[in-house]
Amino acid sequence: MAQKPKIDPHVGRLGYLQALVTEFQETESQVPLPIADAKEQVLANLANFAYDPGNYQYLRQLQVLDLFLDSLSEENETLIKFAIGGLCNLCPDKANKEHILQAGGLPLIINCLSSPNEETVLSAVTTLMYLNSPGTRSHSELTSLPVVQCMLRFSLSTNTRLRNLAQIFLEDLCSPSQVAEARSQQAHSALGIPLPKTEAPQQP
């Protein structure tokens, strides 16, 4: 079992988060795990802290939003899963949404729709819905033709959560004409973002 970072409990919340960020950024891990595994553990911890609105200010101050966005370009699917999960947790906050959009995070999040990992895709769809919520400047990329086609495919998924999210996305974020155009294009093309794979249980 991975060890938790050894952090002085008296440093406070900001200090604790700073220690996590520092550990993630260090090239040599301080825990007895391969570096990739240690980074996954720390990124998972940061994503969990993003659940708490009381941490939003600290996470912005420590540039954790940018750390999450940078991690979306990793080849490691587990890092991507935790990074998009962290962004999804942060998106209910208007300042966080604006930062993600201004930092050019939208294309990176849209790319997560093609992940083979269902949890990554679920977080990506939810994040896109948060980014299009009232009070946020409209971005045409959110409902571009490839994204709408993707949601049409997801609306046929056997995963109930993904299917329901996709249907809500199509009903709440897309106009009837956008959905009709996407359906028409799909009828003439076999191309599209494949459905994510359901993780098979590991063999003993």
Side-chain angles (χ1 to χ4, degrees), residues 85-157:
L87 290 170
C88 184
N89 291 340
L90 290 165
C91 268
D93 179 78
K94 183 178 179 181
N96 292 337
K97 283 188 284 191
E98 289 296 337
H99 181 94
I100 291 167
L101 292 169
Q102 291 172 7
L106 194 50
L108 295 170
I109 295 167
I110 289 173
N111 284 343
C112 290
L113 296 175
S114 61
S115 171
N117 185 293
E118 280 191 333
E119 287 302 318
T120 297
V121 174
L122 285 164
S123 293
V125 175
T126 305
T127 302
L128 291 175
M129 294 172 71
Y130 277 132
L131 291 176
N132 198 63
S133 59
T136 304
R137 187 164 56 90
S138 177
H139 288 260
S140 59
E141 289 172 278
L142 279 166
T143 53
S144 62
L145 182 60
V147 173
V148 180
Q149 288 178 320
C150 185
M151 295 303 162
L152 284 172
R153 291 177 60 81
F154 290 163
S155 69
L156 303 175
S157 172

